Amino acid sequence: MNALTLHLPALQVIVPMLMAPFVVLLRARSLPWAAATATSLLTFSIALQLTMIVMDGNPVSYEMGSWVAPYGIELQVDAFSALVLLIVTGASSVALIGGRESLASIISTDREPFFFAAWLLALAGMAGIVVAADAFNIFVFMEISSLASYVLIAAGPDRRALPATFKYLILGTIGATFYLIGVGLIYMMTGTLNLGDMELRIHEVADQKPILAAAGFITVGLALKAAIFPLHVWLPNAYTYAPHIVTTFLAACATKVSLYVLLRFDFFVFQQNLAGHEFQFAAYLMPLAVLGILVGSVVAMFESNIKRMLAFSSVAQIGYMMLGASFVSATGLTAATLHMFNHALAKGGLFLATAAIAVIAAGCRLSDIAGLARRMPWTFAALVVSGLSLIGVPGTAGFISKWYLINAALELETGGIALVALILVSSLMAVVYIWRIVETACFGESVETEVKRVPTALVIALWAVAIANVGFGIAPDLPLSLSAAAADILLGHVR
Amino acid sequence: MNVLGIYHYWVFAILLMIGFYAVIAKLNLIKKLIGLSLFQAAVFLLYITMGNVEGASAPIFGFGAETFSNPLPQVLILTAIVVGISTTALGLGIVVRIKEEYGSIEEHDIQEIDRR
């Protein structure tokens, strides 16, 4: 390893963070966008290199300022982090590449530098959450990314974006503060903030009650940030009224990053460390996952706004990830982590498609898109491909993770069949709501609107994601080996 | 354990609940933000008080003190206070924008206007 490779975990965060104030200074039109896109692509290449390094199963550890952990701040990248880093940096890059015109039509030129600076801060925050191995640093990065994403969402063209952002701000802050209380309680009992150190010292704590309270606070706080049912109330409006490109970025990675922290905490720090509470994680979160899948899918079936429909579908998809994780088995965790990746592909494709649709039908309501497929066949073809992946049709990425999820459910001793039925029923519901879009767009009576061209870059980005959906469905080796390694890592800490 | 001996936890819990109540029950957006600030301040107190060692001095060497309070929670809370201020500032900024767009900062009014 050369000198630069050693510093990759730190560069992953520092590059976008240092570029953010620089972007504020760029005043010429499109220059902030270009700088943000270049930075985002650079972080993506860093994530790719980190993935290559951790592929063989050895995590990379980085000591900030050469202070030895647990005294100093430690950054750590393993296969699980690499997978999430790929999602975060990839989603940001694709959204930015395809989104120049779409964003320029919403954000005035003088505000562009601030908007893209906020974008880079959101990116830096999320990358920071993933690489940090220190509970308090995770909190700080969580707030950096959240504050930046509130700014991004509030930039939405509709004024309803503002109350939606306010609600997200209140609930997001409550979630982060709950997390902070939990970390405080653990620190009080163990005297450490380093996750690895916490895992060891938590065994020596005589009185486990504060640890139990901490587990509750941290799980609820992160569940709020990850929009796990019934704590998802902020998500539909925030996704609906944010600029389309921002929705693409956030829907692909924001909730998954919180879920990542939740899994790391529950499996590294709390799991089975609490005497007599071996399955509290599974026992509490599985019913919520099941309810989330059902409620999210049902509400999505009856929504008339496409973005809202897809937002509720996200609630259901987060349910799938939770369900996989709550099995606490190798197959289940592989399904959960793989679904993070595949859902990012499918939902990223769908929201990019809505950004393309919005060029002509700004409202994104079902009634606005009647007959549109005949005029924008490329956009709707890509939408159908991503939709099939969301449903989980064989040959697409979504199928692979659902296949693993069903296998994991069948491994259960009791109730496995019922869960398989649930997964099938909710997939059928996904067929219904994706079909509603396709039906209206293909067979609806055309509404006369002025003809506008969809930006070429957006169509290219959309098709790149659609092809990735098929590509990772046929050859899922890269995400599959990463998520299998992630499952191993998570289970390796369960004793 | 003596209930009064851990009075600072009671202060923490009561402040936390007052703040939480204001966030949930108040319909005025500014009052919600005040509640949110109280909620965060309670957590700051939790950290600060847990680092205190009875009879100990500030963690500065060379002034004859034998025992020192733990400075780490104070450092953490310094960061958390900055986060709290940023959140409040951003929240107030959004409230100003809501007032400009809707002409009200009452949740009911905003919902009523959106429904129309």
Side-chain angles (χ1 to χ4, degrees):
Chain A
M1 272 201 251
N2 62 36
L4 197 61
T5 322
L6 279 174
H7 294 290
L8 281 178
L11 286 174
Q12 182 80 78
V13 187
I14 287 173
V15 168
M17 193 168 270
L18 287 185
M19 277 304 282
F22 177 66
V23 164
V24 175
L25 301 176
L26 301 173
R27 290 290 158 186
R29 181 151 191 81
S30 288
L31 213 56
W33 169 82
T37 311
T39 314
S40 180
L41 284 170
L42 187 59
T43 56
F44 183 57
S45 68
I46 295 173
L48 274 178
Q49 285 195 44
L50 278 172
T51 311
M52 308 282 201
I53 296 171
V54 299
M55 265 302 224
D56 59 2
N58 294 323
V60 180
S61 175
Y62 183 85
E63 283 154 358
M64 262 304 182
S66 296
W67 289 90
V68 183
Y71 308 106
I73 292 160
E74 191 190 6
L75 305 181
Q76 206 181 39
V77 179
D78 53 28
F80 191 16
S81 343
L83 184 78
V84 182
L85 281 177
L86 282 181
I87 298 172
V88 172
T89 55
S92 158
S93 305
V94 171
L96 280 172
I97 289 172
R100 187 171 72 92
E101 282 93 343
S102 179
L103 288 173
S105 67
I106 294 170
I107 291 136
S108 59
T109 316
D110 56 325
R111 295 223 174 122
E112 257 183 15
F114 303 109
F115 178 84
F116 287 108
W119 184 297
L120 286 180
L121 284 177
L123 178 62
M126 283 187 224
I129 298 171
V130 179
V131 298
D134 176 287
F136 194 79
N137 270 270
I138 291 176
F139 166 75
V140 174
F141 282 127
M142 201 149 66
E143 285 306 85
I144 290 175
S145 75
S146 298
L147 287 168
S149 31
Y150 306 148
V151 175
L152 295 180
I153 292 170
D158 194 314
R159 68 175 177 186
R160 278 173 286 185
L162 296 168
T165 313
F166 190 81
K167 192 175 201 176
Y168 185 16
L169 181 135
I170 296 279
L171 291 175
T173 308
I174 290 176
T177 311
F178 264 50
Y179 172 80
L180 193 59
I181 297 172
V183 170
L185 290 174
I186 301 181
Y187 177 71
M188 197 156 75
M189 300 311 287
T190 62
T192 183
L193 289 167
N194 183 296
L195 290 186
D197 202 28
M198 242 179 220
E199 189 191 347
L200 299 176
R201 293 215 198 166
I202 226 162
H203 292 286
E204 299 160 7
V205 176
D207 186 4
Q208 289 281 343
K209 267 189 199 139
I211 305 287
L212 194 61
F217 274 116
I218 288 177
T219 306
V220 172
L222 290 172
L224 196 52
K225 287 250 173 199
I228 291 168
F229 182 86
L231 302 169
H232 66 282
V233 284
W234 58 267
L235 185 141
N237 275 352
Y239 280 15
T240 308
Y241 300 116
H244 308 298
I245 297 299
V246 172
T247 313
T248 309
F249 175 38
L250 294 182
C253 51
T255 53
K256 284 160 200 90
V257 169
S258 304
L259 203 56
Y260 164 87
V261 182
L262 183 60
L263 291 185
R264 291 248 305 200
F265 253 99
D266 276 322
F267 281 83
F268 283 21
V269 182
F270 297 133
Q271 184 70 7
Q272 299 210 352
N273 287 336
L274 305 160
H277 296 275
E278 279 101 80
F279 292 103
Q280 64 163 347
F281 173 76
Y284 287 114
L285 292 181
M286 194 190 280
L288 295 184
V290 169
L291 280 174
I293 292 172
L294 282 177
V295 174
S297 302
V298 169
V299 177
M301 282 201 298
F302 293 100
E303 267 303 331
S304 60
N305 181 316
I306 300 175
K307 280 180 90 181
R308 245 183 117 76
M309 173 194 287
L310 295 176
F312 273 107
S313 150
S314 280
V315 175
Q317 303 291 323
I318 294 158
Y320 286 130
M321 296 165 210
M322 281 314 308
L323 186 65
S326 65
F327 292 148
V328 199
S329 68
T331 328
L333 283 166
T334 310
T337 47
L338 187 61
H339 200 60
M340 287 187 184
F341 185 85
N342 291 342
H343 173 246
L345 282 180
K347 212 30 93 44
L350 285 167
F351 274 121
L352 272 180
T354 53
I357 293 169
V359 174
I360 293 176
C364 280
R365 305 189 70 80
L366 273 180
S367 50
D368 300 334
I369 65 158
L372 263 188
R374 289 193 287 275
R375 280 164 51 195
M376 27 192 346
W378 286 100
T379 302
F380 277 92
L383 184 144
V384 169
V385 173
S386 307
L388 290 178
S389 178
L390 186 75
I391 295 163
V393 174
T396 59
F399 172 70
I400 312 282
S401 42
K402 283 207 177 151
W403 177 253
Y404 271 86
L405 197 58
I406 288 176
N407 275 332
L410 288 175
E411 283 173 9
L412 285 187
E413 280 162 15
T414 51
I417 301 295
L419 287 173
V420 172
L422 168 86
I423 295 164
L424 291 178
V425 166
S426 65
S427 298
L428 287 175
M429 291 187 201
V431 174
V432 172
Y433 56 75
I434 297 296
W435 175 249
R436 282 181 71 209
I437 304 179
V438 176
E439 187 192 25
T440 332
C442 291
F443 308 116
E445 203 60 41
S446 261
V447 191
E448 278 309 310
T449 44
E450 51 174 323
V451 180
K452 281 189 218 150
R453 260 175 50 83
V454 177
T456 320
L458 185 54
V459 178
I460 293 173
L462 180 53
W463 269 96
V465 178
I467 291 168
N469 266 308
V470 178
F472 285 118
I474 295 166
D477 301 336
L478 172 78
L480 194 55
S481 56
L482 279 177
S483 46
D488 271 352
I489 292 165
L490 287 171
L491 282 178
H493 288 261
V494 177
R495 285 168 240 195
Chain B
M1 210 183 293
N2 183 359
V3 175
L4 279 178
I6 50 166
Y7 68 93
H8 57 275
Y9 291 130
W10 289 106
V11 176
F12 154 72
I14 291 165
L15 264 185
L16 191 79
M17 284 305 117
I18 293 173
F20 204 36
Y21 171 81
V23 172
I24 293 169
K26 293 293 165 191
L27 296 171
N28 183 305
L29 300 186
I30 299 279
K31 287 182 183 167
K32 269 183 191 290
L33 278 179
I34 294 172
L36 198 66
S37 295
L38 257 181
F39 185 68
Q40 290 177 312
V43 181
F44 302 161
L45 277 182
L46 171 73
Y47 271 75
I48 298 288
T49 51
M50 87 168 80
N52 185 47
V53 177
E54 215 167 324
S57 80
I60 306 168
F61 281 109
F63 290 93
E66 294 289 320
T67 50
F68 304 103
S69 288
N70 185 352
L72 188 68
Q74 302 180 15
V75 178
L76 298 180
I77 282 320
L78 208 56
T79 317
I81 288 172
V82 175
V83 169
I85 288 172
S86 323
T87 312
T88 314
L90 185 61
L92 287 172
I94 293 169
V95 173
V96 170
R97 289 282 295 122
I98 289 178
K99 172 79 178 167
E100 282 171 6
E101 294 284 340
Y102 289 86
S104 170
I105 54 166
E106 295 291 330
E107 211 172 26
H108 279 321
D109 295 347
I110 294 165
Q111 281 168 352
E112 191 62 34
I113 293 168
D114 271 343
R115 214 172 283 134
R116 262 183 245 150

